[in-house]
Amino acid sequence: GIMPNSHAKSHVLNFGTSYVGEKINFGVGFRRSYGYYGIPGFALRKLPGHTHTHGDGYTHVIEGESVYLPINTESESNSLIMQSEYKPNIKSIEAVRLNYTLQYSKDSELIGSYLANKFSTVRQNARLEIDQKSFSLLKGLWGADILTQNIDGSGEQRYIPNNKSNEYGIFTLQQFTIKFLKLSAGYRHDIIQRRAMLTEGYKPGRGLAGGKLSDRNFNLNQFNTVAQLNVNKYIYLRGSYSHSERAPDINELYAGNNHFAIILEENGDDRLNKETAKTIETEAGFSYKGIKFSITYYNTMLHDYLYLAHTGIARSGGFLVKEWRQSDTKLTGWESEMSYNGKINKNLNLHFGSYFDLVKNSNVSKDNLRDWAEGAYMPNMPTSRFGISGGIEYKKSELSITFDRYLEQSYLGKNINPEPPMPAYSLLAARLSHNIIFKNYRIEYFAAGTNLLNVEARPQNSFLKYLAPLPGINIALGLILNF
């Protein structure tokens, strides 16, 4: 069958130019993207009424009927990007980089063709990096970030108020290396400011709805350290520890109405704290004549983990009500990769790869509300998976194939009621390309396909898994011109 309201239209345009010199490198570019998508869900909309006048001059008002209309989203983004690098003839400085991005975007949610909400965003980001010259066995960099973001909304059903964010960060990363040992340590400090404005035209919903829309300031600290021991030229051992902190985003603090794109009533909470993650990771690896193998174990303790939780409420004629909450969580997992890349002769190259990814997300909060609502594990989490890939390159042609197997979720949580597992599924993809040179320009012709087995795939972590699977078989033909 054909899924209702299953349509998509998009385009992306990129262009830019650069100057590369002995001491100065400079580039500027422009990126535009547009998308119009159908959401496989519907929302109740009261249509406009009208007045009706009879022949005797009597006029009365006829109210519009309430109907379910499909949900559509429209997005438009324009970005100006500038990157620069200067290599001064200074004893202590290798290079200075300054990057700047200006982005203007519009994101809309529509009920049928009626505008429910539209958000216009102006985002500016400037980043300064200074590479220090290697001193004995030490090298590193220093830097600073500034980001400003203003979001202004319109439409009768906005889910967040107008808001502003300012973010300021400073950071450093230092690396110490001797023959068999590499040590690195990094630190970053951020100041985050969130502001919401209750302007005319925005009406908070009936739920928590962002509380009092209070101003919030956050001071964040990030720290990581890594040690790698090269046992010999084939084998290495690596261990790392990281401490990271994240400020709640705008919607997590201030949301308060229907968010049509995810078919939920989303409620923020302006009292939320920062989220803290402490991660220990160990890795062992092997490399020999084109063969590479690694296996990694990680353990992350999340304090005040931010998640969108069920309330057990559904509005009449509306959506399920969810709200942003915090609770302690433990994330553990194993990852492994193996690959081979070998040149058979000057015209033929082969490559193969495989991986597995096992993940477990546990509730360690001892919170009665969370135990009741979400259970022993977090619901809607990605499942464990494994995959294999292979490819062959012959002269100017290349064929690559990937196969990914997503397992049925073993660690099931609750959405008030027990979470049912989605069936396991397999995805097969392939890409065939051929390159030619024409008047000093490289042209690549390609054919690519995804979900070639045309399976019904419903990811466990998808908000829309009960309404819509991933797209079925998809074939693309195209060419890439490199000037």
Side-chain angles (χ1 to χ4, degrees):
I2 301 300
M3 193 188 318
N5 204 43
S6 56
H7 63 85
K9 177 183 178 181
S10 64
H11 65 251
V12 178
L13 171 68
N14 292 279
F15 64 85
T17 186
S18 62
Y19 167 80
V20 178
E22 290 186 8
K23 289 190 175 183
I24 297 177
N25 300 324
F26 178 82
V28 63
F30 175 79
R31 175 182 174 88
R32 171 176 169 77
S33 62
Y34 172 83
Y36 179 61
Y37 303 101
I39 303 296
F42 296 80
L44 191 63
R45 165 84 187 191
K46 186 172 184 180
L47 299 179
H50 68 277
T51 58
H52 182 76
T53 302
H54 295 273
D56 59 2
Y58 174 72
T59 300
H60 65 278
V61 177
I62 298 177
E63 291 190 1
E65 61 177 333
S66 295
V67 296
Y68 280 96
L69 296 175
I71 299 170
N72 300 301
T73 65
E74 186 175 36
S75 61
E76 177 184 340
S77 176
N78 298 281
S79 299
L80 178 67
I81 304 164
M82 184 273 287
Q83 297 183 350
S84 63
E85 183 181 59
Y86 173 58
K87 299 177 180 178
N89 190 16
I90 300 176
K91 184 177 181 180
S92 58
I93 297 177
E94 182 75 28
V96 178
R97 289 183 293 273
L98 178 62
N99 301 332
Y100 172 77
T101 301
L102 171 63
Q103 181 186 51
Y104 177 68
S105 60
K106 295 180 181 179
D107 296 280
S108 303
E109 296 181 334
L110 303 103
I111 310 303
S113 59
Y114 295 95
L115 179 67
N117 59 67
K118 180 170 72 174
F119 296 100
S120 299
T121 304
V122 178
R123 182 182 293 108
Q124 298 185 75
N125 184 207
R127 181 182 179 93
L128 173 68
E129 291 183 0
I130 301 174
D131 278 353
Q132 64 194 48
K133 284 189 175 179
S134 297
F135 174 73
S136 183
L137 304 175
L138 181 70
K139 68 175 183 178
L141 66 84
W142 303 79
D145 270 319
I146 299 176
L147 183 144
T148 65
Q149 176 179 274
N150 295 340
I151 300 179
D152 294 324
S154 58
E156 59 187 28
Q157 298 186 63
R158 284 183 273 162
Y159 63 90
I160 53 174
N162 291 357
N163 59 83
K164 295 181 179 181
S165 292
N166 295 315
E167 303 184 10
Y168 311 94
I170 56 173
F171 58 89
T172 184
L173 178 64
Q174 301 295 319
Q175 188 176 86
F176 174 82
T177 306
I178 57 177
K179 288 185 178 180
F180 60 90
L181 182 64
K182 181 185 294 184
L183 301 173
S184 65
Y187 173 75
R188 180 182 176 100
H189 181 74
D190 290 282
I191 298 173
I192 312 292
Q193 299 171 338
R194 309 280 196 217
R195 303 288 184 266
M197 291 76 71
L198 190 58
T199 54
E200 184 178 355
Y202 177 72
K203 183 179 179 181
R206 293 166 53 189
L208 190 58
K212 299 178 181 178
L213 305 183
S214 304
D215 294 348
R216 295 299 308 273
N217 298 316
F218 300 92
N219 285 277
L220 308 178
N221 293 290
Q222 328 281 344
F223 172 78
N224 73 284
T225 181
V226 181
Q228 178 172 320
L229 174 66
N230 296 316
V231 179
N232 53 43
K233 65 179 181 179
Y234 307 118
I235 300 172
Y236 70 88
L237 302 173
R238 180 184 296 141
S240 67
Y241 172 79
S242 67
H243 172 103
S244 62
E245 298 175 354
R246 183 178 77 86
D249 212 339
I250 290 297
N251 59 316
E252 294 167 343
L253 290 172
Y254 302 128
N257 266 313
N258 287 341
H259 190 167
F260 293 98
I262 58 175
I263 317 181
L264 292 173
E265 180 183 318
E266 183 180 2
N267 283 273
D269 186 346
D270 63 354
R271 301 166 298 178
L272 293 172
N273 300 316
K274 63 185 178 183
E275 176 185 278
T276 301
K278 299 178 181 180
T279 301
I280 297 174
E281 187 172 302
T282 58
E283 179 182 345
F286 171 82
S287 178
Y288 178 72
K289 291 186 177 181
I291 300 174
K292 294 183 178 180
F293 172 78
S294 67
I295 186 166
T296 303
Y297 171 77
Y298 58 89
N299 184 310
T300 300
M301 290 297 300
L302 291 138
H303 178 65
D304 283 338
Y305 172 67
L306 285 156
Y307 66 100
L308 194 55
H310 274 267
T311 62
I313 300 172
R315 307 288 186 209
S316 177
F319 300 146
L320 291 174
V321 180
K322 285 192 171 186
E323 63 185 26
W324 286 99
R325 296 177 185 162
Q326 290 186 295
S327 199
D328 295 346
T329 298
K330 182 172 75 169
L331 179 66
T332 57
W334 288 89
E335 296 176 348
S336 181
E337 293 184 50
M338 184 172 65
S339 65
Y340 169 75
N341 194 332
K343 198 171 185 65
I344 307 303
N345 55 49
K346 66 177 183 179
N347 293 323
L348 182 63
N349 189 72
L350 299 177
H351 58 88
F352 302 97
S354 65
Y355 75 92
F356 71 77
D357 183 4
L358 307 177
V359 62
K360 182 179 179 181
N361 190 311
S362 305
N363 172 9
V364 293
S365 64
K366 298 180 181 179
D367 182 330
N368 292 333
L369 176 61
R370 182 171 170 183
D371 290 342
W372 170 76
E374 278 80 46
Y377 304 99
M378 282 300 299
N380 307 313
M381 295 303 299
T383 59
S384 297
R385 57 183 183 147
F386 65 88
I388 57 174
S389 63
I392 181 171
E393 299 172 33
Y394 180 71
K395 293 184 177 179
K396 297 179 180 180
S397 299
E398 181 178 359
L399 171 66
S400 60
I401 300 173
T402 61
F403 174 85
D404 298 288
R405 176 68 174 175
Y406 293 78
L407 305 180
E408 183 178 291
Q409 181 63 273
S410 300
Y411 306 108
L412 295 164
K414 296 166 61 180
N415 293 300
I416 307 298
N417 295 311
E419 177 188 23
M422 295 293 101
Y425 59 91
S426 302
L427 298 180
L428 179 67
R431 189 179 192 274
L432 176 65
S433 64
H434 179 71
N435 290 276
I436 64 171
I437 303 297
F438 178 74
K439 293 184 177 180
N440 296 324
Y441 301 134
R442 187 171 70 86
I443 303 175
E444 180 185 8
Y445 302 92
F446 70 87
T450 58
N451 197 1
L452 294 175
L453 301 176
N454 203 35
V455 301
E456 182 177 325
R458 297 179 183 269
Q460 192 76 30
N461 58 321
S462 170
F463 280 112
L464 305 175
K465 58 179 175 281
Y466 300 114
L467 296 174
L470 295 179
I473 188 170
N474 180 17
I475 305 295
L477 303 175
L479 59 86
I480 299 173
L481 307 177
N482 292 280
F483 297 95

